[in-house]
Amino acid sequence: MRATSIGHAGILIETAHGSILCDPWFVPAFFGSWFVFPRNDRLDDELRDKIEHPDFLYVSHLHADHLDEAFLADHVSRSATVLIPGFPTRELERKMRSFGFTDIERTVDQAEVDLDGIIVAIHVETSITDGPGGDSALVVSDGTARIVNQNDCRTHDLDALRRHGPVDLHWLQYSGAIWYPMVYDEPAERMRELCAAKVESQFARAMRYVETIDARYVVPSAGPPCFLDPELAMFNVVTGDEMSIFPDQRSFLGRLETAGRHGILAIPGTCIEVTSPSEPATVTHPLPDDAVARIFTEKAAYLDDYRADWADWLEAEKATWTAPTHDLLARLVAWWEPLLALAPTLRSAVGAAALLRTGDLEVLIDFPAGEVRAYAGEPHSFRFDIPRELVETVAAVHAVDWSNALFLSCRFRAWREGPFNEYLYNFFKSLSVERMRRAEAEAQRKLEPVDPDRSEEIERCGYVFERFCPHRQADLSIFGEVEDGVLTCTLHGWQFDLETGHCLTAADRSLRVRSASGTSGAAPVTGGDTKL
């Protein structure tokens, strides 16, 4: 089996029985903010031809750094069979059919499928946090090797991934893929603390995946992007002193080495070949080793050259953004108020108004009242400052997921009065009837009191507590770490005081816990927020 990096989360998997193209991304995403790092616009013709003519195509989820609409529409052969994860909605399938793909293999979560000698299984994550469309991970085996392509899927059931057999190559995300905390209004010292904590949380989560999957080789992938617009250049980690959550591959490879794990540096065009479990992998880079090293040791110069080559494209991209219109407020009211009416539980969980400031137009989203109106000085707990042309652009196409369509661009500023409120962002991820109905249903499910008699429990360090984290139901038998009476869920960094069950990270949420000798801890509490 041969796996070739094509940039970011992109992989071309080749076997004697056919090839699978995974998450090809070439056109910069999120309003021209994210570019592939290292650059993948110089792949050789032979590799490009293989990328454009795969036997199978797998797109893990709907985010634009995985689903490159322009590239898929213009460059990938329609003869490819599309492997569709078993998501709760058909959005991804509809999108692929809109590109002209007709051979669709819709898979069942975790179930193995024999593609004439290639055994694949797609594991799905369907929490609203991943967007209503979900996220997914791919397992591929051909009798000679097995790959787990986890990309940036925050898989909660790692045992299920391992049940397919020993893993040779584990490709996974380790770097940031979010706008938090950089866009928030925080003092510099506090921002540095938040960035460092976020990076450590990302690394800790990735290392837990690494330890559990226990692959022979680990390939850091699915990020980081780089930012070639001078307005966003501060998000690139070059010296290591930047206030950013986007460290590059070297940082995580160091963490792997310290842990005694075999990490492989892959740049676009790097080919990793595994012929049997008893033979070492062969790694072939598209450039001499010293040239590969200079990408990272002379990163500032590398980014300068990359930026110069794409400057005209970026200028043209900005020229496509929609100019201000006279009826933006009316269109937002007509679009959003019917959705708010569908989601009383979600609105209650947000619990306050959010102010959208976009140029000279200020819009209040009054979640308690279910209204959208011109701002008149009312109290609010959340604020977004977004350039008018960006809001106009996503409104013009009725973008149903503003996390994907807008927020990931990092081209905005934000403020909040208290902790992170997941339900606020769930609203912006669910701007269609189909999505909002699911967001409301998940809010109802998550905010119902937990019946202790129905919850599985585990014992750790003298405490008995519920097995699944109240946040995203991560399995605490895998992700839970106990130190000095504090339980940390390493999937997202939530912490709980095991004496009381009180959540130290979020408001109005706690863990059901008791001592192993039988003394009860705190009862479950509904509601609450958490940091990203």
Side-chain angles (χ1 to χ4, degrees):
M1 182 184 290
R2 179 185 298 119
T4 302
S5 170
I6 60 173
H8 201 64
I11 313 171
L12 178 66
I13 300 173
E14 298 175 274
T15 78
H17 310 286
S19 64
I20 305 175
L21 175 62
C22 308
D23 285 351
W25 172 40
F26 291 90
V27 180
F30 311 124
F31 286 108
S33 296
W34 288 34
F35 287 72
V36 178
F37 177 81
R39 64 193 300 174
N40 66 350
D41 54 348
R42 294 176 173 174
L43 300 178
D44 65 51
D45 291 342
E46 181 181 359
L47 179 54
R48 285 283 300 207
D49 185 67
K50 291 179 179 180
I51 291 169
E52 293 182 3
H53 297 89
D55 295 298
F56 301 94
L57 171 63
Y58 163 71
V59 174
S60 60
H61 61 295
L62 288 161
H63 280 177
D65 57 323
H66 298 260
L67 194 160
D68 184 340
E69 296 193 20
F71 183 80
L72 292 174
D74 297 336
H75 292 281
V76 179
S77 171
R78 299 305 183 270
S79 65
T81 298
V82 180
L83 306 175
I84 296 290
F87 291 141
T89 74
R90 297 294 180 109
E91 288 184 70
L92 179 57
E93 181 177 343
R94 292 195 296 267
K95 180 67 71 174
M96 302 307 291
R97 290 190 184 277
S98 75
F99 298 144
F101 293 100
T102 58
D103 190 355
I104 304 291
E105 176 83 30
R106 183 171 173 82
T107 62
V108 176
D109 181 27
Q110 304 184 20
E112 291 188 348
V113 179
D114 187 344
L115 304 174
D116 295 326
I118 309 174
I119 308 300
V120 303
I122 300 178
H123 293 238
V124 302
E125 288 295 305
T126 57
S127 167
I128 203 76
T129 309
D130 295 309
D135 202 346
S136 67
L138 175 71
V139 183
V140 181
S141 57
D142 67 347
T144 66
R146 181 173 288 104
I147 290 177
V148 168
N149 173 15
Q150 191 175 347
N151 62 85
D152 51 357
C153 182
R154 297 182 180 183
T155 312
H156 76 281
D157 188 356
L158 293 174
D159 286 336
L161 284 174
R162 292 190 303 180
R163 281 196 288 271
H164 299 285
V167 178
D168 296 286
L169 295 178
H170 182 192
W171 298 64
L172 85 161
Q173 182 192 62
Y174 64 94
S175 184
I178 196 68
W179 52 88
Y180 175 86
M182 294 88 65
V183 304
Y184 277 87
D185 293 335
E186 296 282 359
E189 182 177 350
R190 176 59 176 159
M191 179 63 70
R192 190 172 298 280
E193 293 174 355
L194 291 172
C195 287
K198 182 63 176 174
V199 169
E200 180 55 34
S201 175
Q202 292 164 175
F203 278 16
R205 179 177 64 237
M207 285 305 301
R208 183 53 56 89
Y209 291 140
V210 168
E211 294 161 1
T212 304
I213 298 299
D214 196 27
R216 293 171 61 201
Y217 302 97
V218 179
V219 187
S221 64
C226 64
F227 300 84
L228 301 187
D229 189 333
E231 296 176 3
L232 304 173
M234 64 284 195
F235 297 146
N236 295 314
V237 174
V238 178
T239 67
D241 193 47
E242 295 85 358
M243 287 184 280
S244 172
I245 63 165
F246 299 104
D248 61 39
Q249 291 88 330
R250 296 171 299 174
S251 298
F252 192 65
L253 286 168
R255 179 70 67 96
L256 290 170
E257 182 178 10
T258 299
R261 298 282 172 173
H262 195 145
I264 295 177
L265 172 64
I267 67 170
T270 295
C271 176
I272 306 169
E273 190 161 7
V274 181
T275 56
S276 77
S278 61
E279 296 294 328
T282 301
V283 180
T284 305
H285 293 304
L287 302 172
D289 289 348
D290 59 343
V292 174
R294 282 198 297 273
I295 294 172
F296 302 95
T297 60
E298 301 176 15
K299 190 173 181 180
Y302 181 86
L303 293 176
D304 285 343
D305 290 342
Y306 195 178
R307 181 179 297 111
D309 290 342
W310 281 81
D312 289 345
W313 180 92
L314 185 57
E315 183 178 355
E317 164 68 14
K318 290 183 175 181
T320 68
W321 299 349
T322 304
T325 61
H326 69 281
D327 62 344
L328 177 60
L329 174 59
R331 286 184 288 128
L332 293 178
V333 171
W335 179 10
W336 289 354
E337 284 196 348
L339 298 177
L340 289 169
L342 293 174
T345 308
L346 183 146
R347 285 166 36 210
S348 177
V350 176
L355 175 61
L356 171 61
R357 300 197 302 198
T358 175
D360 59 358
L361 175 63
E362 297 184 328
V363 180
L364 191 76
I365 311 169
D366 186 339
F367 284 94
E371 296 178 354
V372 179
R373 58 182 183 270
Y375 177 57
E378 300 96 324
H380 54 278
S381 297
F382 312 96
R383 186 180 68 239
F384 298 93
D385 291 277
I386 308 174
R388 176 67 174 263
E389 60 269 26
L390 302 190
V391 176
E392 292 277 5
T393 301
V394 295
V397 297
H398 266 228
V400 299
D401 181 354
W402 279 29
S403 290
N404 179 37
L406 197 158
F407 294 144
L408 280 168
S409 72
C410 300
R411 295 183 183 275
F412 72 104
R413 299 298 303 171
W415 167 86
R416 64 190 185 211
E417 189 174 45
F420 171 74
N421 187 301
E422 64 181 284
Y423 300 99
L424 173 67
Y425 282 99
N426 289 350
F427 169 79
F428 284 111
K429 293 175 182 178
S430 307
L431 298 175
S432 70
V433 171
E434 178 184 32
R435 285 181 169 230
M436 191 59 71
R437 283 175 174 162
R438 186 166 179 268
E440 172 67 7
E442 180 153 327
Q444 291 174 350
R445 179 184 62 80
K446 291 179 72 172
L447 296 174
E448 290 179 354
V450 176
D451 181 352
D453 295 332
R454 296 181 300 166
S455 296
E456 189 174 350
E457 294 181 325
I458 58 174
E459 182 175 345
R460 189 78 62 82
C461 300
Y463 297 94
V464 177
F465 47 87
E466 55 192 299
R467 178 176 174 180
F468 298 100
C469 180
H471 174 213
R472 283 189 56 203
Q473 291 73 56
D475 189 343
L476 295 174
S477 69
I478 295 174
F479 292 101
E481 292 184 351
V482 177
E483 183 176 356
D484 297 329
V486 174
L487 168 69
T488 300
C489 174
T490 58
L491 186 64
H492 294 103
W494 275 42
Q495 292 186 315
F496 302 87
D497 181 345
L498 287 176
E499 287 296 325
T500 64
H502 176 66
C503 182
L504 304 176
T505 311
D508 301 321
R509 190 76 66 86
S510 58
L511 184 79
R512 190 182 65 260
V513 60
R514 56 186 170 82
S515 71
S517 61
T519 304
S520 296
V525 180
T526 61
D529 309 324
T530 183
K531 299 177 181 178
L532 281 168

